[in-house]
Amino acid sequence: MILYNILSRLLDYPDPDLKGNLDLIREALAGESELKAQERTVIERFVDEMQGEPLMQLQQEYVQTFDMVPEHSLHLTHHLFGDDRGRGPALVDLSEHYKGMGLEMKEGEIPDYLPLILEYVATLDEVAARLFLADAGKVLTVLAANLENAESRYAPLLRLVEHRGHLAQTAA
């Protein structure tokens, strides 16, 4: 489902390529029949906001939101382990999982980075994608709440990701 690719891109660091392709994201949304109306509205509103902001301001906001506040980190194992040594084996396991599933990571990528996770789940069928996200459900809930408390524009996007995982838990 293209939803995960779109969310991956919107939750990644904003660059000129993203800023220049926001209309393509909007077109992709229009063609996605399996999106719920609420999901479409949240993403369209986010894209509208991005289109109205200069790229440099978007980049500064992104860094302030995700890089300067540990409670907002998009590296999901950080929320479980912090800088503890237990994080390393979790990252290795996730890297091996990706490799076993045929996903090639770029040099220097950390496997628990939410945009990368969303890129991966986009390759799965919907049930498998939701189950994979359900494994990170508690972390996604905390992260979304942290972003809401900070009144971040990214919070609704995190809630969409979280909700996809929760749907898997209620179906199981």
Side-chain angles (χ1 to χ4, degrees), residues 1 6 20 22 24 26 40 58 90 105 108 125 132 163-164:
M1 178 181 254
I6 290 171
L22 291 172
L24 292 176
R26 193 180 304 283
R40 188 180 311 279
L58 292 171
M105 292 177 27
D125 66 63
F132 194 87
H163 183 69
R164 286 282 167 153

Side-chain angles (χ1 to χ4, degrees), residues 109-142:
E109 276 188 317
I110 300 175
D112 68 338
Y113 183 53
L114 184 56
L116 180 60
I117 290 171
L118 291 168
E119 190 179 307
Y120 167 68
V121 298
T123 67
L124 305 174
D125 66 63
E126 187 60 22
V127 172
R130 288 175 187 250
L131 289 171
F132 194 87
L133 291 173
D135 285 343
K138 289 179 183 176
V139 172
L140 293 170
T141 298
V142 169

Side-chain angles (χ1 to χ4, degrees), residues 96-116:
E96 292 302 315
H97 175 77
Y98 289 159
K99 192 180 296 181
M101 298 300 285
L103 179 69
E104 294 294 322
M105 292 177 27
K106 297 175 191 157
E107 180 83 25
E109 276 188 317
I110 300 175
D112 68 338
Y113 183 53
L114 184 56
L116 180 60

Side-chain angles (χ1 to χ4, degrees), residues 15-37:
D15 59 18
D17 187 49
L18 172 62
K19 185 79 167 144
N21 288 301
L22 291 172
D23 286 332
L24 292 176
I25 289 174
R26 193 180 304 283
E27 287 174 27
L29 282 175
E32 185 57 53
S33 62
E34 294 186 32
L35 271 181
K36 294 182 173 142

